[in-house]
Each structure stands twice: as C-alpha cells, then as structure tokens.
Amino acid sequence: MEELEKETMKRIIGGGTDISGAILNAISGCIETIFGIGQAVGSAIRRIKSGNLCKF
C-alpha cells in the first residue's frame, strides 16, 4: 500500500459530509417521539384541569 503525502491528504474531500437516509430516519424518529410525548403530557394536563379523569 502506498503512503500518501500530507499535501495530498489535505486535498482529499468527502467521506463524512453526506447525510444518509439512516441519519434522516433516526432524526425523524426522535422528532416523532418528542411530539408524541408532548401530546400525552398536554392531554394529561387538559384532563386534570377539566376534572375528566377515570375513576378506579
């Protein structure tokens, strides 16, 4: 295997700059999870304020 010079290595571009589908899917999943938690908390607050709770 051939050893690269420092100047050649400085000119190599790419490798870590692409956004892949897996990363976008993970970000989307995190956003959906946060949104779902927000909906549940908001619904719980609304039900507590209105006194509309299930009786055990």
Side-chain angles (χ1 to χ4, degrees):
M1 202 163 132
E2 185 178 323
E3 189 172 329
L4 298 174
E5 297 176 8
K6 279 188 177 182
E7 292 302 316
T8 306
M9 291 177 66
K10 288 180 184 177
R11 284 184 271 153
I12 296 175
I13 298 173
T17 59
D18 295 332
I19 296 178
S20 67
I23 293 172
L24 291 175
N25 194 18
I27 292 170
S28 172
C30 290
I31 291 171
E32 287 178 13
T33 301
I34 292 169
F35 184 71
I37 291 170
Q39 278 185 324
V41 169
S43 178
I45 291 171
R46 181 181 49 80
R47 291 180 62 184
I48 289 170
K49 282 187 175 184
S50 68
N52 189 14
L53 297 174
C54 296
K55 299 193 189 282
F56 289 109

